[in-house]
Amino acid sequence: MKRTLLILVSIFAVIGAYAEITVKASAPSAVAVGQQFRVEYSVNDKATEIRVDIEGKGFDVLYGPASGSMSSTQIINGNVTRSITTTFTYTLMATTEGTFSIPAATVKVNGDSHTSNSLTIKVLPADQQDASSSSSNTRKNQNGEREKVNVDDVHLDLSLSKTDVYEGEAVVATLKLYFRNTPIHSLADAKLPDFDGFTVQEMDLGNPEASLERYKGANYQMYPIKQWLLFPSRNGEIVIPKAYVQAVAQVVTRRSTGGWFDFPMDYTSNVEVPLYSAQRTIKVKPLPASKPVGYSNGVGDFSVKTEMTSNQVKANDALIYRIVIEGTGNLKYINNPEPEFPSDFEVYDPKEDYNARTTSMGLNGKKVIEYTVIPRHAGTFTIPGLNFSYFDTKTSKFKTITTEAYTIEVEKGVGEQSETSGNVSNFANTNQERLKVLGNDIRYIHKLDSGDITKNQEPFHGTLVYWLFYIVPILIFIVLSVIYRKQMKLNANADLRRTKKANKIANRRLKEAAVALKERNQNAFYESLHKAMFGYVSDKLNIKLSELTTTNVKQQLENAGVSGAVIQEYNDIVSTCEFARYAPASDDQAMDSLYKKASDCINSLESQIKK
């Protein structure tokens, strides 16, 4: 056991020693001139040194690198896992407007060098309105008047990647929230724009975060609300109406507390801000009128190829003809190309497999169309090349791609029969072949003599048997419905069901008493007989066993219309059974007589109880 444990510890140590070391660099995607920000390098191990060239890249290094490490230990089902994370932090200040790259950093881990990813940071101009924007807000005064949000601090905008496109060309529409000076608490009552005239596919933003962005000559925090991929379905000017969102802004108000120790305090309140985006217009140009042969509604940048599972096959065996379309554009909405197969081939409906992701240029991925074909005869056949045409948005022209042709050698199959003389059929791309019988699906049409055709003496329609086919099932359905409804009613009423089965259960217990009588087992006999009498009255009159007293039973039986003589006989039988159970001394003749009395008494009760 110790040796096994030692081996496992050694294996985990080796795995840990060769675990992949990752160095991840992170920073804001955009900052403003004069703004301070941090660049962090995170290493999933103990690192001792970092080197990175930041100076002269449009930033000043104010501080760094500051290093820190964090270790954690997890114990799950006795397995101990330890991890160490080292972080190097630089504090920078943007000095020059533009877009700058910070090259990859190099860190030392256990004497080995590892590199991080590079970073691209956009530096925006300094915001001249920062100094005055806060004073432009209407704050609550000393009397607690309600504060309003400056209209220039919060905006809603629908951003379009393009406004001049061809029909079917992808356009990215992003609904953005811009805010500054005032934090946004939440969004509500959104009314999204109606994209009439477009084929729309929503894009997944994942977990969006606010980032700095230049808008209307000022720097704002931009939060993407929704993003769509639009494909114009008609040409002309298409108007996208306004979008609406109600933003809830958090406003801080400083008020006096009053009293002896008067000092100001900050209070936070939520203010609802209705926001509307501007109406946007996209100019959609029509595609050239002269569409080439094989145009499949594709707009973008695509490639196409075909594949064949085999060039040699036996008759009646299946082949797969595959068309693969790759690229970026309206990939999802491309019509499936229709290849030309020899008429001797049996072709099944195509199977389509689509896999793509949304990008700023459209849908990027792959579309695979598979045709299953079965050649029915031996011979040499040709599947011609496929002409695939699409509109190339880079050149603004149609482009046609022709795939390779395939020559298929079909050998005689096991199920193929010999040639039949006489009739000859012509098949495209094949030599003349004699017509063959394919299993049982093709047969010759034989002529009939006039004497072979006979006339029915009496039509079946309108006869008695014809109507019985309709009437009998209806009658059976009605009878079954009545029986089913009665049974459902009986099952729904537990008390009624118990009453109906009272006599049946009592007879079963009497049979048990008869068996005990035959075996001369006095204890079992009197116990079964007592259960039969008590159980019958309990079930028949719905009396709980705890309420089966002599007085209560007598009262219930009288209410049910049972005669006094039968009630007295019932009480005598029950008393005899109870006495004999605790003092068994009866002879066999007395047991026989008591059994007969009990059976007769139950029959009398069954006939007299008004249930």
Side-chain angles (χ1 to χ4, degrees):
M1 181 66 182
K2 292 182 178 179
R3 184 178 179 183
T4 303
L5 183 61
L6 182 61
I7 293 173
L8 291 175
V9 171
S10 301
I11 292 174
F12 286 124
V14 172
I15 294 174
Y18 288 95
E20 182 181 0
I21 304 299
T22 59
V23 184
K24 183 180 180 182
S26 60
S29 59
V31 295
V33 173
Q35 179 182 347
Q36 297 182 13
F37 64 97
R38 294 193 306 175
V39 178
E40 292 186 350
Y41 296 89
S42 180
V43 189
N44 64 339
D45 206 330
K46 182 66 176 177
T48 56
E49 182 183 347
I50 184 171
R51 292 181 181 179
V52 60
D53 184 15
I54 299 179
E55 293 288 352
K57 302 298 181 182
F59 312 103
D60 286 342
V61 179
L62 303 181
Y63 181 75
S67 63
S69 61
M70 181 181 65
S71 62
S72 62
T73 302
Q74 288 184 339
I75 303 176
I76 302 175
N77 296 329
N79 297 323
V80 181
T81 304
R82 294 183 178 87
S83 63
I84 300 175
T85 302
T86 305
T87 304
F88 297 95
T89 305
Y90 289 87
T91 302
L92 309 181
M93 184 176 69
T95 58
T96 308
E97 180 184 348
T99 301
F100 303 94
S101 296
I102 298 178
T106 303
V107 299
K108 291 284 187 179
V109 178
N110 298 324
D112 297 329
S113 297
H114 300 272
T115 58
S116 71
N117 56 294
S118 60
L119 295 171
T120 300
I121 301 176
K122 186 177 183 179
V123 181
L124 305 176
D127 196 345
Q128 301 299 326
Q129 300 180 10
D130 285 344
S132 61
S133 60
S134 60
S135 60
S136 64
N137 287 340
T138 304
R139 303 286 184 182
K140 288 186 178 180
N141 58 20
Q142 295 284 338
N143 297 325
E145 296 175 351
R146 186 172 181 81
E147 180 179 8
K148 297 181 180 179
V149 178
N150 191 334
V151 294
D152 291 332
D153 286 345
V154 187
H155 297 277
L156 184 68
D157 182 65
L158 182 66
S159 173
L160 300 175
S161 61
K162 304 172 187 176
T163 56
D164 190 356
V165 295
Y166 281 97
E167 185 178 345
E169 186 177 355
V171 179
V172 177
T174 307
L175 188 62
K176 298 179 179 180
L177 175 69
Y178 291 95
F179 60 95
R180 62 175 184 174
N181 301 324
T182 304
I184 301 300
H185 178 266
S186 61
L187 301 174
D189 298 334
K191 183 180 179 182
L192 302 178
D194 182 14
F195 297 107
D196 186 24
F198 296 92
T199 301
V200 184
Q201 180 151 345
E202 186 172 343
M203 301 178 69
D204 184 13
L205 291 172
N207 297 317
E209 295 182 354
S211 60
L212 192 66
E213 188 172 302
R214 195 77 174 172
Y215 180 72
K216 291 186 176 180
N219 296 327
Y220 286 83
Q221 291 292 325
M222 186 279 295
Y223 178 80
I225 300 175
K226 286 279 188 180
Q227 194 170 55
W228 301 271
L229 197 59
L230 310 179
F231 297 97
S233 56
R234 56 181 171 86
N235 56 67
E237 289 190 351
I238 303 179
V239 178
I240 302 176
K242 298 178 181 180
Y244 168 78
V245 168
Q246 180 175 281
V248 179
Q250 288 185 332
V251 179
V252 179
T253 306
R254 176 160 292 189
R255 293 193 228 166
S256 174
T257 58
W260 291 95
F261 301 97
D262 185 15
F263 59 91
M265 291 186 64
D266 290 338
Y267 293 88
T268 301
S269 59
N270 293 333
V271 178
E272 296 180 353
V273 183
L275 301 173
Y276 293 89
S277 68
Q279 180 177 284
R280 303 303 301 270
T281 302
I282 296 180
K283 183 180 179 181
V284 182
K285 296 175 288 188
L287 299 179
S290 57
K291 294 182 175 63
V293 177
Y295 178 64
S296 300
N297 198 43
V299 178
D301 183 17
F302 303 103
S303 64
V304 63
K305 64 179 180 179
T306 56
E307 300 171 353
M308 201 76 190
T309 53
S310 178
N311 291 331
Q312 292 184 342
V313 70
K314 291 185 178 182
N316 299 320
D317 286 347
L319 286 171
I320 301 296
Y321 181 84
R322 186 178 295 111
I323 304 171
V324 181
I325 304 172
E326 293 183 88
T328 303
N330 60 344
L331 180 64
K332 184 177 181 180
Y333 308 103
I334 291 179
N335 299 327
N336 290 344
E338 297 181 358
E340 296 180 9
F341 295 104
S343 58
D344 195 43
F345 281 25
E346 184 175 351
V347 183
Y348 291 88
D349 292 336
K351 174 185 175 184
E352 182 179 321
D353 184 20
Y354 170 78
N355 185 14
R357 59 186 181 89
T358 54
T359 67
S360 59
M361 301 300 295
L363 298 169
N364 175 261
K366 180 190 297 185
K367 186 176 184 180
V368 180
I369 305 103
E370 289 187 351
Y371 287 87
T372 301
V373 296
I374 300 178
R376 289 302 188 184
H377 300 99
T380 301
F381 302 90
T382 300
I383 300 177
L386 182 71
N387 289 328
F388 175 79
S389 300
Y390 69 94
F391 184 78
D392 191 349
T393 54
K394 293 181 179 179
T395 61
S396 299
K397 295 180 180 179
F398 285 106
K399 187 175 181 179
T400 301
I401 302 175
T402 302
T403 63
E404 64 176 313
Y406 294 94
T407 300
I408 311 298
E409 297 291 341
V410 182
E411 301 175 0
K412 186 176 180 180
V414 177
E416 190 175 13
Q417 299 179 5
S418 60
E419 297 183 354
T420 305
S421 61
N423 299 322
V424 177
S425 289
N426 290 328
F427 295 98
N429 302 323
T430 66
N431 297 325
Q432 288 186 340
E433 298 182 76
R434 297 187 180 278
L435 183 66
K436 301 175 178 59
V437 178
L438 306 181
N440 294 322
D441 57 347
I442 300 177
R443 294 291 181 184
Y444 287 109
I445 299 176
H446 299 280
K447 294 182 178 180
L448 292 178
D449 296 332
S450 59
D452 296 334
I453 303 175
T454 58
K455 180 180 179 181
N456 290 331
Q457 299 300 323
E458 182 180 353
F460 177 71
H461 178 75
T463 62
L464 177 62
V465 177
Y466 172 83
W467 290 111
L468 286 177
F469 272 110
Y470 289 95
I471 297 173
V472 172
I474 294 174
L475 293 176
I476 294 175
F477 175 77
I478 294 173
V479 172
L480 292 178
S481 298
V482 172
I483 296 174
Y484 178 76
R485 289 174 63 88
K486 288 184 177 180
Q487 187 64 34
M488 289 295 292
K489 184 177 179 181
L490 179 62
N491 292 338
N493 192 334
D495 293 339
L496 180 61
R497 188 169 63 252
R498 183 182 176 191
T499 300
K500 294 290 185 181
K501 294 183 178 181
N503 189 47
K504 182 178 180 180
I505 296 174
N507 288 331
R508 186 172 67 242
R509 288 170 176 166
L510 285 176
K511 290 181 179 179
E512 294 175 359
V515 173
L517 177 62
K518 186 176 181 180
E519 297 175 353
R520 301 306 174 185
N521 187 342
Q522 293 187 14
N523 291 332
F525 170 76
Y526 287 112
E527 183 176 359
S528 298
L529 205 61
H530 187 268
K531 287 182 178 179
M533 302 302 293
F534 253 27
Y536 175 80
V537 174
S538 175
D539 294 339
K540 195 69 176 179
L541 301 179
N542 294 318
I543 305 174
K544 296 180 180 179
L545 292 176
S546 58
E547 299 176 357
L548 283 175
T549 61
T550 303
T551 305
N552 188 27
V553 170
K554 181 180 179 181
Q555 182 65 37
Q556 294 291 342
L557 289 175
E558 289 177 352
N559 295 339
V562 179
S563 63
V566 175
I567 296 175
Q568 184 61 43
E569 185 176 0
Y570 171 82
N571 290 331
D572 292 342
I573 295 172
V574 171
S575 299
T576 302
C577 290
E578 290 177 349
F579 179 78
R581 289 171 63 193
Y582 299 102
S586 303
D587 54 16
D588 295 341
Q589 187 176 0
M591 293 169 60
D592 292 336
S593 176
L594 186 63
Y595 177 82
K596 187 176 184 309
K597 288 182 179 180
S599 179
D600 294 340
C601 182
I602 290 176
N603 291 334
S604 299
L605 291 171
E606 182 69 19
S607 62
Q608 294 184 20
I609 291 177
K610 299 176 181 178
K611 285 286 183 178

